[in-house]
Amino acid sequence: MRYKDIILAILSTENGAITTVNNVHYENIHKTVRLYSTITAKDDGASLCKTQMQDLLDSIMNPKLRVRPVGSKKMK
């Protein structure tokens, strides 16, 4: 999946907070994704950003994980 497609797929879902399977917590999904969307393929760490966004999308689509309201604390 292309990076832009991942970004668009995440932004098309509801906003909120989530802790991914890899234990990375996002307090405001859409704000974070908008910041990451400015990354281009020429930037250092672009592949890492794509991996993180793919992980975030997979976590959003995972029925065992739920998106909580924006600003929610990290689940333990």
Side-chain angles (χ1 to χ4, degrees):
M1 189 176 230
R2 290 184 6 207
Y3 187 66
K4 288 183 181 181
D5 295 335
I6 295 170
I7 298 295
L8 290 174
I10 293 171
L11 291 176
S12 68
T13 62
E14 65 178 295
N15 193 17
I18 194 167
T19 302
T20 65
V21 176
N22 294 334
N23 206 27
V24 177
H25 181 71
Y26 297 94
E27 282 190 21
N28 188 332
I29 295 170
H30 287 188
K31 183 178 179 182
T32 304
V33 171
R34 282 191 205 102
L35 289 172
Y36 277 103
S37 68
T38 61
I39 302 292
T40 63
K42 298 175 186 173
D43 293 336
D44 294 335
S47 62
L48 177 63
C49 290
K50 182 178 179 182
T51 304
Q52 287 179 334
M53 292 297 105
Q54 183 65 52
D55 177 47
L56 176 59
L57 180 61
D58 292 342
S59 296
I60 290 171
M61 298 302 169
N62 186 341
K64 293 182 180 179
L65 300 175
R66 75 180 182 96
V67 177
R68 295 177 308 282
V70 172
S72 296
K73 301 222 184 228
K74 182 176 179 181
M75 297 292 289
K76 294 188 181 199

